[in-house]
Amino acid sequence: MLKAVILIGGPQKGTRFRPLSFEVPKPLFPVAGVPMIQHHIEACAQVPGMQEILLIGFYQPDEPLTQFLEAAQQEFHLPVRYLQEFAPLGTGGGLYHFRDQILAGGPEAFFVLNADVCSDFPLSAMLEAHRRQRHPFLLLGTTANRTQSLNYGCIVENPQTHEVLHYVEKPSTFISDIINCGIYLFSPEALKPLRDVFQRNQQDGQFCLALGEDSPGLWPGAGTIRLEQDVFSALAGQGQIYVHLTDGIWSQIKSAGSALYASRLYLSRYQNTHPERLAKHIPGGPRIRGNVYIHPTAKVAPSAVLGPNVSIGKGVTVGEGVRLRESIVLHGATLQEHTCVLHSIVGWGSTVGRWARVEGTPNDPNPNDPRARMDSESLFKDGKLLPAITILGCRVRIPAEVLILNSIVLPHKELSRSFTNQIIL
Amino acid sequence: MLKAVILIGGPQKGTRFRPLSFEVPKPLFPVAGVPMIQHHIEACAQVPGMQEILLIGFYQPDEPLTQFLEAAQQEFHLPVRYLQEFAPLGTGGGLYHFRDQILAGGPEAFFVLNADVCSDFPLSAMLEAHRRQRHPFLLLGTTANRTQSLNYGCIVENPQTHEVLHYVEKPSTFISDIINCGIYLFSPEALKPLRDVFQRNQQDGQLEDSPGLWPGAGTIRLEQDVFSALAGQGQIYVHLTDGIWSQIKSAGSALYASRLYLSRYQNTHPERLAKHIPGGPRIRGNVYIHPTAKVAPSAVLGPNVSIGKGVTVGEGVRLRESIVLHGATLQEHTCVLHSIVGWGSTVGRWARVEGTPNDPNPNDPRARMDSESLFKDGKLLPAITILGCRVRIPAEVLILNSIVLPHKELSRSFTNQIIL
């Protein structure tokens, strides 16, 4: 019997996903037409013997989250429970805190998945590797090129045994081109090292309080466990942590730009896994190029041309003569006639006026390098806003005939002119 | 009998005031220690014969607004009512829509004040000018230098009669160095031209369905539809002032307005200015400290500092040219300059939070705030540092010329960035 735990974080995290995370918790943001973590749950549900899926995080269980849980349970015929941390406990603290719930029923092992990754989730391959040689921790690893690896958790492995010899999170110089995917398979024995870390961090936390140090972010608070630093780095080379390499699709989803890239990866995968989700050209319907997802309730005019890599959400209206490419249109938005939307995310309920052009600049990894990953995605460099995906927050109104280029527009804003390379608060 | 109308706008306006306007409606943002429109109400309450103050806007009447209205009525012994527009009606549409409420009781005239201006409100002088020669519209005007005037509504006047001959809102080339303060005195006859504009805009509105470029049906833009259209027809006059005046469109101009009001307190409200007392912090220049704030004795405050309710200022803090909003905490030895620290935020020990002021040239009495865009050529212009609500700045870092959105917990230094 197996279980899966999805770490969904909380509102104090994921602030790089603003302004999109103002409206919906980041784990529920739609990627390729379905909420981000639905891809995780679908993959878990296909592993034979999967008994239960637990979501651990710090969000208040508001309506979008509750509705999602109910829908997921019905669709996948699996219990899907949300365990809310009493305080932010770090990437590993929730696992330790809810160990009773995780180990209830005596699972042989449990997957641990970060919510903000996009992957083809080779869970069965990981399970086989684990069953061949059971260890407490099995990490899924993939490759990155030398410069980009510095943005990720780097793994030095023994090429024969696949033991993790060293682990460094975001190193300052090159360590290894194998990076941590944020997808793990732990056996119940993993809880013991977690307990040791927990107790040590509790002592350190109390020591810091005694010193009068009250500095969040530099020292782990009492009861928190950072998987990467406190467990993987500390236990590497001691025969407890192993890595399983994959060359399937993988990307981290930290910002809106990477959500668009992840959308493209998932949409291309739909050709094999969910062909019914990809739109086809039908007589009287819009022209479709490449991979496009259109929600059944969306209204798209026949003269529109969509794709490649387009997701259209619930109740969206796409007018005559619209060109939509490499973009996500969130539900309730309206693209009026003859607009051109490229490399952008159009927020919930927004309106783009006639003949307006909404355009961003993609920062996608080099498609010719299979090991290329998203770069570290800061918005600014030397005080200048780097060209990136254009994001319109919820209920933004773009007037007719303007250009919105490489800009981020915060919710409820009504623009009156063109903007390039700006954040419009 | 007189009345006053304060136009407070709505949430779809004032977005340049973000991230500060996420937490509180802009008209209630504290400037020099009290809500922005309290300065307006105080000035109106001092005009003999003032009967009632009406606030017109599009905000939902939420708790901060309702509490403010009750407090204002008690303090000034005047009815203060909020009339909520059913839809955003433009700078003049609310006046026309609520004309019955404004004209009830037959006022001789009524002041109209924009909420987002800082002024010494020379209302009695305007009233005298109006009584000498009654006209439908009297605008308060002040002077700006040639380049900056382009950011404002420009008035060309007849220097003898003070009639407004031309009015252009934000012209593209220099028209006049007299600018519109957003403070008016209208007589009841002003409603007639408003009605003509309303009916004309209703017809136009039905032809075109594009928001933002054409006024929607029922909206009236005072500046374009009334002042520009009626200039030179003997209906609109201007009264010039050289008192303090500034527009409050962004957080940076709120800080500048705070300085203007704080300096004015020396004459009007000396009890609001903090003085150095033994065992208390050192005070330089004009400083407002809310009675419930806790300030350590080794802190040095000012000039131009406002400290809100329940704020904690630790030992050895240097605070200058800044606003600290209520519930915020400045830990020991921090240095906060040219910044606004948001509600409930925490600044860690030895951190330096610093902005760059864009104040008008103090040597030029006619200098005004420049048009305050955040970006130029894709680069973020150095400006006041703003920490939104409940932002946590760790110890020993530098936050320079940056805007931090609410609830963000930073982990390192940032310069010249907007941190979403």
Side-chain angles (χ1 to χ4, degrees):
Chain A
M1 181 271 266
L2 299 160
K3 291 195 186 183
V5 177
I6 305 179
L7 306 175
I8 68 170
Q12 79 289 358
K13 292 286 167 193
T15 51
R16 267 178 291 172
F17 210 66
R18 295 172 166 180
L20 300 170
S21 51
F22 282 138
E23 297 307 316
V24 95
K26 179 175 154 186
L28 298 184
F29 184 80
V31 180
V34 303
M36 196 182 290
I37 49 176
Q38 186 166 325
H39 298 277
H40 299 54
I41 295 178
E42 283 178 4
C44 293
Q46 286 168 6
V47 179
M50 185 63 65
Q51 188 84 339
E52 180 180 50
I53 298 180
L54 302 166
L55 309 189
I56 293 181
F58 188 53
Y59 287 99
Q60 292 294 345
D62 63 358
E63 201 174 304
L65 186 55
T66 323
Q67 285 181 348
F68 172 79
L69 292 174
E70 290 173 5
Q73 297 205 78
Q74 290 184 347
E75 180 163 351
F76 300 104
H77 307 295
L78 262 185
V80 180
R81 284 202 296 163
Y82 174 52
L83 304 171
Q84 184 186 0
E85 296 174 359
F86 63 93
L89 297 175
T91 44
L95 293 177
Y96 181 70
H97 182 73
F98 290 112
R99 58 197 178 283
D100 296 332
Q101 284 73 24
I102 297 173
L103 298 180
E108 124 189 35
F110 58 99
F111 291 96
V112 178
L113 317 175
N114 280 319
D116 57 359
V117 296
C118 151
S119 171
D120 56 2
F121 299 105
L123 306 181
S124 295
M126 291 173 76
L127 188 56
E128 278 180 55
H130 175 79
R131 284 173 170 161
R132 279 195 295 267
Q133 274 209 305
R134 294 179 188 277
H135 300 289
F137 302 93
L138 182 66
L139 316 189
L140 185 69
T142 187
T143 46
N145 62 40
R146 289 181 71 98
T147 29
Q148 288 173 340
S149 71
L150 305 185
N151 301 318
Y152 297 95
C154 295
I155 295 170
V156 177
E157 65 150 2
N158 177 323
Q160 279 83 41
T161 66
H162 299 298
E163 182 192 350
V164 172
L165 302 173
H166 297 286
Y167 183 96
V168 186
E169 183 70 18
K170 292 189 183 56
S172 33
T173 55
F174 178 73
I175 300 276
S176 165
D177 58 4
I178 299 175
I179 60 173
N180 174 18
C181 290
I183 295 166
Y184 317 123
L185 180 54
F186 292 175
S187 62
E189 287 68 42
L191 267 319
K192 186 171 170 310
L194 281 184
R195 185 185 68 217
D196 297 337
V197 172
F198 174 77
Q199 287 168 347
R200 189 170 55 244
N201 282 357
Q202 266 210 319
Q203 287 176 344
D204 284 348
Q206 280 159 356
F207 188 55
C208 288
L209 283 178
L211 284 184
E213 183 67 50
D214 191 65
S215 218
L218 295 180
W219 295 96
T224 73
I225 299 174
R226 299 164 301 169
L227 266 183
E228 301 80 14
Q229 292 90 334
D230 299 334
V231 182
F232 300 160
S233 292
L235 295 183
Q238 298 179 30
Q240 305 214 43
I241 314 184
Y242 285 71
V243 62
H244 174 81
L245 292 178
T246 177
D247 56 8
I249 62 167
W250 183 83
S251 180
Q252 197 173 238
I253 310 179
K254 293 292 186 195
S255 73
S258 46
L260 206 41
Y261 177 62
S263 204
R264 177 189 315 157
L265 294 178
Y266 278 139
L267 281 173
S268 68
R269 205 159 158 262
Y270 281 169
Q271 296 194 349
N272 299 330
T273 60
H274 288 279
E276 75 284 359
R277 284 184 188 164
L278 291 177
K280 309 259 170 298
H281 175 66
I282 53 176
R287 262 174 296 165
I288 307 290
R289 298 187 183 163
N291 300 318
V292 172
Y293 167 81
I294 305 179
H295 193 276
T297 62
K299 293 188 182 27
V300 183
S303 53
V305 180
L306 310 178
N309 186 24
V310 161
S311 295
I312 295 181
K314 186 163 44 167
V316 165
T317 305
V318 177
E320 299 285 348
V322 167
R323 179 73 182 99
L324 185 51
R325 195 177 85 204
E326 300 283 345
S327 296
I328 295 176
V329 183
L330 295 168
H331 83 249
T334 299
L335 306 183
Q336 292 187 346
E337 293 75 39
H338 313 296
T339 55
C340 190
V341 177
L342 319 169
H343 301 290
S344 302
I345 297 183
V346 178
W348 300 264
S350 288
T351 303
V352 180
R354 292 180 190 86
W355 288 286
R357 182 182 179 95
V358 176
E359 180 177 1
T361 301
N363 289 321
D364 291 349
N366 181 354
N368 297 325
D369 177 359
R371 308 195 321 163
R373 305 290 164 196
M374 293 293 289
D375 279 317
S376 134
E377 300 162 69
S378 35
L379 286 174
F380 284 84
K381 192 178 158 103
D382 301 327
K384 217 168 159 84
L385 186 63
L386 295 173
I389 299 291
T390 282
I391 307 167
L392 308 184
C394 136
R395 303 187 71 77
V396 165
R397 288 185 293 289
I398 307 290
E401 302 173 30
V402 299
L403 164 66
I404 309 297
L405 173 66
N406 298 337
S407 294
I408 299 175
V409 186
L410 258 58
H412 300 280
K413 187 74 187 175
E414 180 172 353
L415 300 185
S416 54
R417 60 176 181 88
S418 297
F419 286 89
T420 62
N421 296 290
Q422 298 203 22
I423 296 179
I424 299 140
L425 293 182
Chain B
M1 185 268 267
L2 301 159
K3 291 195 184 182
V5 177
I6 306 179
L7 305 175
I8 68 170
Q12 80 288 358
K13 292 286 166 191
T15 51
R16 269 178 289 173
F17 210 66
R18 294 173 168 178
L20 299 170
S21 51
F22 281 140
E23 297 307 314
V24 94
K26 178 176 156 188
L28 298 185
F29 184 80
V31 179
V34 303
M36 196 183 292
I37 49 176
Q38 186 165 325
H39 299 276
H40 298 55
I41 296 177
E42 284 178 5
C44 292
Q46 286 168 6
V47 179
M50 184 62 66
Q51 187 83 339
E52 181 181 47
I53 299 179
L54 302 166
L55 309 188
I56 293 181
F58 188 54
Y59 288 99
Q60 292 295 345
D62 63 359
E63 201 173 304
L65 187 55
T66 323
Q67 284 181 350
F68 172 79
L69 292 173
E70 288 172 8
Q73 296 205 77
Q74 288 184 349
E75 180 164 351
F76 299 104
H77 308 295
L78 263 184
V80 181
R81 286 203 294 162
Y82 173 52
L83 304 172
Q84 184 188 0
E85 297 176 357
F86 62 94
L89 298 175
T91 43
L95 293 177
Y96 181 71
H97 182 72
F98 289 112
R99 58 197 179 284
D100 296 332
Q101 286 72 24
I102 296 174
L103 297 180
E108 129 190 29
F110 56 101
F111 292 96
V112 177
L113 318 175
N114 280 319
D116 58 359
V117 296
C118 150
S119 169
D120 56 2
F121 298 106
L123 305 182
S124 295
M126 291 173 76
L127 189 56
E128 276 180 56
H130 174 79
R131 284 173 170 162
R132 280 196 294 269
Q133 275 209 306
R134 293 179 189 277
H135 300 288
F137 302 93
L138 182 67
L139 315 189
L140 185 69
T142 189
T143 47
N145 62 41
R146 289 182 71 100
T147 30
Q148 288 172 341
S149 71
L150 305 186
N151 301 319
Y152 297 95
C154 293
I155 295 171
V156 176
E157 66 150 2
N158 176 324
Q160 279 83 41
T161 66
H162 300 297
E163 181 190 353
V164 172
L165 303 174
H166 297 286
Y167 182 95
V168 186
E169 183 71 18
K170 292 189 183 59
S172 34
T173 56
F174 178 72
I175 299 276
S176 163
D177 58 3
I178 298 176
I179 60 173
N180 174 17
C181 290
I183 295 166
Y184 317 122
L185 179 54
F186 292 176
S187 63
E189 287 68 43
L191 267 319
K192 185 171 171 311
L194 282 184
R195 186 187 67 216
D196 296 338
V197 172
F198 174 77
Q199 288 168 346
R200 188 170 56 241
N201 282 356
Q202 267 211 317
Q203 288 176 342
D204 285 347
Q206 281 157 357
L207 290 178
E208 184 62 53
D209 191 69
S210 212
L213 293 181
W214 294 95
T219 73
I220 299 174
R221 299 163 304 169
L222 264 183
E223 301 80 13
Q224 292 90 334
D225 299 333
V226 183
F227 299 159
S228 292
L230 296 184
Q233 297 179 32
Q235 304 215 42
I236 314 184
Y237 286 71
V238 61
H239 174 80
L240 291 177
T241 177
D242 55 9
I244 62 166
W245 183 82
S246 180
Q247 197 173 238
I248 311 180
K249 292 292 186 194
S250 73
S253 45
L255 206 42
Y256 178 62
S258 204
R259 178 190 314 158
L260 295 178
Y261 279 139
L262 282 173
S263 68
R264 203 158 159 263
Y265 281 169
Q266 295 193 351
N267 299 331
T268 59
H269 288 279
E271 75 285 0
R272 286 186 186 162
L273 291 177
K275 308 259 170 298
H276 175 64
I277 53 176
R282 262 173 296 165
I283 307 291
R284 298 187 183 163
N286 300 317
V287 172
Y288 167 82
I289 305 179
H290 192 277
T292 62
K294 292 186 182 30
V295 183
S298 54
V300 180
L301 310 179
N304 186 24
V305 161
S306 294
I307 295 181
K309 188 165 39 171
V311 165
T312 305
V313 178
E315 298 286 351
V317 168
R318 181 72 183 100
L319 184 51
R320 198 177 82 204
E321 299 283 345
S322 295
I323 295 175
V324 184
L325 296 167
H326 83 248
T329 298
L330 306 183
Q331 292 188 345
E332 292 76 38
H333 313 296
T334 55
C335 191
V336 177
L337 320 170
H338 301 290
S339 300
I340 297 182
V341 179
W343 301 263
S345 288
T346 303
V347 180
R349 290 181 192 84
W350 288 287
R352 183 182 178 93
V353 177
E354 180 178 2
T356 301
N358 289 322
D359 292 350
N361 181 356
N363 297 324
D364 177 359
R366 309 196 319 163
R368 305 289 165 195
M369 294 292 287
D370 280 317
S371 133
E372 299 161 68
S373 36
L374 286 174
F375 284 83
K376 192 179 157 101
D377 301 326
K379 218 171 160 86
L380 186 63
L381 295 173
I384 299 292
T385 282
I386 307 166
L387 307 184
C389 137
R390 304 187 70 76
V391 166
R392 288 186 293 290
I393 307 290
E396 302 174 29
V397 299
L398 165 66
I399 309 297
L400 174 65
N401 298 336
S402 293
I403 299 175
V404 186
L405 259 59
H407 299 279
K408 187 74 187 173
E409 179 172 351
L410 301 185
S411 56
R412 61 176 179 87
S413 297
F414 286 89
T415 62
N416 297 288
Q417 299 204 21
I418 296 179
I419 299 141
L420 294 180

